[in-house]
Amino acid sequence: MGRILLVGRLAVRDLRRRRAEAALLLLAIMAATTTLTLGLVLRDAAGDPYQSTRAATGGPDVVASTARAAGLPGVTAPAKPAGLAGVAELEELAGAPGVVDHSGPYPVTAAELQASGRTSDVQAVGRDAAPASVDQPELLQGGWVVDGGVVLEAAFARALDVRVGDPVTLDGRSFEVVGVAVTAAMPPYPKASCVFPCMNGAVPDGEPPAGLLRNPGLVWLTQADVRNLAPDPDSLAYVMNLKLADPAGARAFVDANGEDGGAPPMRTWNDILEDATELAGDSQILLLIGAWLLGLLAVASLSVLVGGRMADQTRRVGLLKAVGGTPSLVAAVLLAEYVLVAVVAAAAGLAAGSLTAPLLTESGAGLVGSAGTPSITASTAGSVTAVALAVAALATIVPAVRAARSSTVDALGDSARPPRRVGWLIAISARLPVPLLLALRVAARRPRRAVLAVASIAVTVSGVHVLLVLNAFLADQPLAGGYDDAQVEVLRRALLVVTIMLLSLAAVNAVVITWAAVLDNRHSSALARALGATPREVSTALAAAQVLPALAGAVLGVFPGGYALFAAINAATGGDGDRATLPAPWQLLALVLATVLVVAALTAVPARLGARRPVTETLQAGLA
Amino acid sequence: MNDAADTPVLRARGLRKEHGEGEGLVRAVDEVDLDIGPGETVAVMGPSGCGKSTLLHLLGGLDRPSGGEVWLNGRRIDDIGEKALARLRRTDIGFVFQAFHLMEELTAVENVELPALLAGRSPRAARRRAEELLERVGLAGRTRFLPSALSGGQRQRVAVARALSNEPSIVLADEPTGNLDSAATLDVLQLFEGLHESGQTLVIVTHDARIAATADRMISMRDGAFVDETRLTGGTTGRLGALIGLED
Ligand SMILES: Nc1ncnc2c1ncn2[C@@H]1O[C@H](COP(=O)(O)OP(=O)(O)OP(=O)(O)O)[C@@H](O)[C@H]1O
Ligand SMILES: [Mg+2]
């Protein structure tokens, strides 16, 4: 009891004594946990609505149709509908081994829908008024099909801004919208499966082949209405929904009843899931890349923070050991401090992540679960907390092991870790003006920290470089990836979130590194001032010591950092880098200059605060 | 008393400590034998660098000897594990350092109760004991102060109170007045005399002849070895005060 109190007290007091450092540590871990939360929530958001839609609608394991796929890239162009001949094939399939239930075949016709001035191609499926056991679309609004009434797929209704009660026309005939529903038998608009020859997404140059549906929406009518709409019975296509004894074996079922043997084309529920969640998948890739970059930055700032405190911690540890603290107690004290920060950072990251997530998922309409805010599952909360704790544990291992190993006497006598001296840097610096001379010496004292500063800026700049490329790509060719405007908007937001996080964490890093340098150099700065350097020269030197690595980092971040990162992303996503426009040279130059200026501005504040401290106070503090 | 005097609180035999190797080898402590009886106050004096601090660290289990043996209350302590040694330091040994070594982020009373909490006492009992001790060292009104708000002498008195927290069998003090001016020195000195009178076993390393004069025994060290040992009749505060002209 007493020992727990002690461990808690030491942790809390130490954090309180260094509020600024604790806050920076918190920010660094929080940026990583927030991004991780977003990534995980998005992963759930991608999978869950489809699963719940599938459960709510008795979703099929395999959808078979009478259409046949052709091999045009980007175009699913079946041969002309097989008419009644195909129906027999479908019915045969319903009796295949492994099929436990089915609905259909249902007739499908292609039509042009007009609603409040907008026109779109649709595939209209004729359904029975009675509910089916397989694929009975779940109504979000209104009722199910009646003669003269049309039910729209939810994402399509949303894109057209059509509601229940609105009048629409199909090939010129009037219908009333009686319902809006979701299904798991087809991906939501604009990713519909092509029962008729159709294409989704980008419009290639030149006229599309005649009769090709473009971004068709899905609507349901009564079977009678579909037959009436069709110009002749032979132009009808048919779809059938199959339920298998083993849903996981859907792929195997399709292979066994092979498409090439003249059997009807089939899609498994996994195929549909992939299409339905493609957008969320793309946003998730962006966030995961972001999380990686942020993770690297967080590690850099943690190393600086933990490293900067090592000397101080060693003294505390020596003291605890001298009054009888065992090695495990000492480790507990060190760990408790970072665990506290990590737990708060995990909670804050989960909160921030779940607040931002709706921005990235809201246009995934067309599935049951996507209407509400994506919620945080226990597994997401668990993973985020675990990662935060792992970071805390990593930050503690080195000092804890050192503490257990170090001689108590040495620890007590320990002044700061003796700075390294890099001889040639000091030799060069002797020929320079005072601030630059001091700056180089500051950097030379802690070469590892200078390397971290360079790395941190390089990571940030290469991230920004890639974001510029992606942004230009989305601006130039919004439909290139098969995205509509709303989806481009979502990807933009994902980019924005990553950019903001990246820049904030980079800013935190710059401040952390400068502050560590200020603390580290306060004694020599005070001495320099005691020997006649002005506070301005000293603070300029400290800021310059950060700006030099920033310049190096910015240049490295553009080349090779940015190019390498972009290539890696293309490799990971199977993307096509040739279509991307690389930033212009002036943009890159501006990026480097802006980085240096921002770092200079950011570091000026702590550097000045550090240089302002009275000389005597600093020199005396060095003695204690 | 007599019975206890037969088993020394602290005993060292052939104690050695070497630093470095080859050309740079330093024998900081060189074949030292020592017995300290219960209630005895021993002063260790000698020029800077003769190995006084090293000896104290070896006796208190803060550092491991290169050779020789150390017994505390009849139990050998130079070969026990790190954990056992830590337990021993918290229950049987009290340290007072020249540089105070208080936890800067803890208040006076929290610093004093630290060893008691480490030893597993209840927070309430630890706090009560800490407050008593602070009153005993004359800091009853300063219990909630952070070390940074205390004078050097006050900090050292907090450190002494902390050393006494678990009623150790022996208190080891390394130049406890080395960082203090003469008024503060007198305060701390009186404190040690009070401890001496109450029967606390004490080893004090010092450069200050006035402090050494209050001990039962004075040992002179040179180059890591004992060169002289004087048995004193024992000083009192009065005599001491007269000696340094600070009596009030
Ligand atoms: N970690 C170490 N490495 C090498 N030599 C050491 C180390 N610690 C102490 N010494 C050497 O051991 C010798 C004894 O040191 P010690 O600190 O015990 O002296 P001291 O008598 O306490 O001196 P002072 O009165 O100045 O405190 C010195 O010569 C010192 O240089
Ligand atoms: Mg010494």
Side-chain angles (χ1 to χ4, degrees), chain A residues 1-3 5-6 9-10 13-14 17 315-317 319-329 404 407-409 412-413 624, chain B residues 57 62-63 82-83 86-87 89-90 95 97 101-107 110 113-115 117-123 127 162:
Chain A
M1 184 56 208
R3 255 169 257 168
L5 172 83
L6 187 65
R9 177 188 286 165
L10 287 171
R13 291 296 170 76
D14 197 44
R17 202 156 75 102
R315 225 170 297 129
R316 289 178 83 216
V317 163
L319 223 146
L320 264 179
K321 289 173 86 178
V323 295
T326 53
S328 52
L329 181 116
S407 134
T408 312
V409 176
L412 277 177
Chain B
H57 294 152
L62 275 187
D63 206 355
E82 193 58 40
K83 196 165 174 177
R87 294 228 175 84
R89 286 198 294 264
R90 81 166 71 126
F95 270 104
F97 300 96
H101 286 324
L102 298 174
M103 286 254 175
E104 290 299 321
E105 68 266 32
L106 298 184
T107 62
E110 286 165 347
E113 71 187 4
L114 191 75
L117 291 176
L118 280 175
R121 302 266 169 81
S122 80
R127 178 56 58 97
R162 182 179 68 188

Side-chain angles (χ1 to χ4, degrees), chain B residues 52-53 98 174-175 205:
Chain B
K52 306 179 296 290
S53 298
Q98 174 174 358
D174 192 354
E175 300 190 35
V205 165

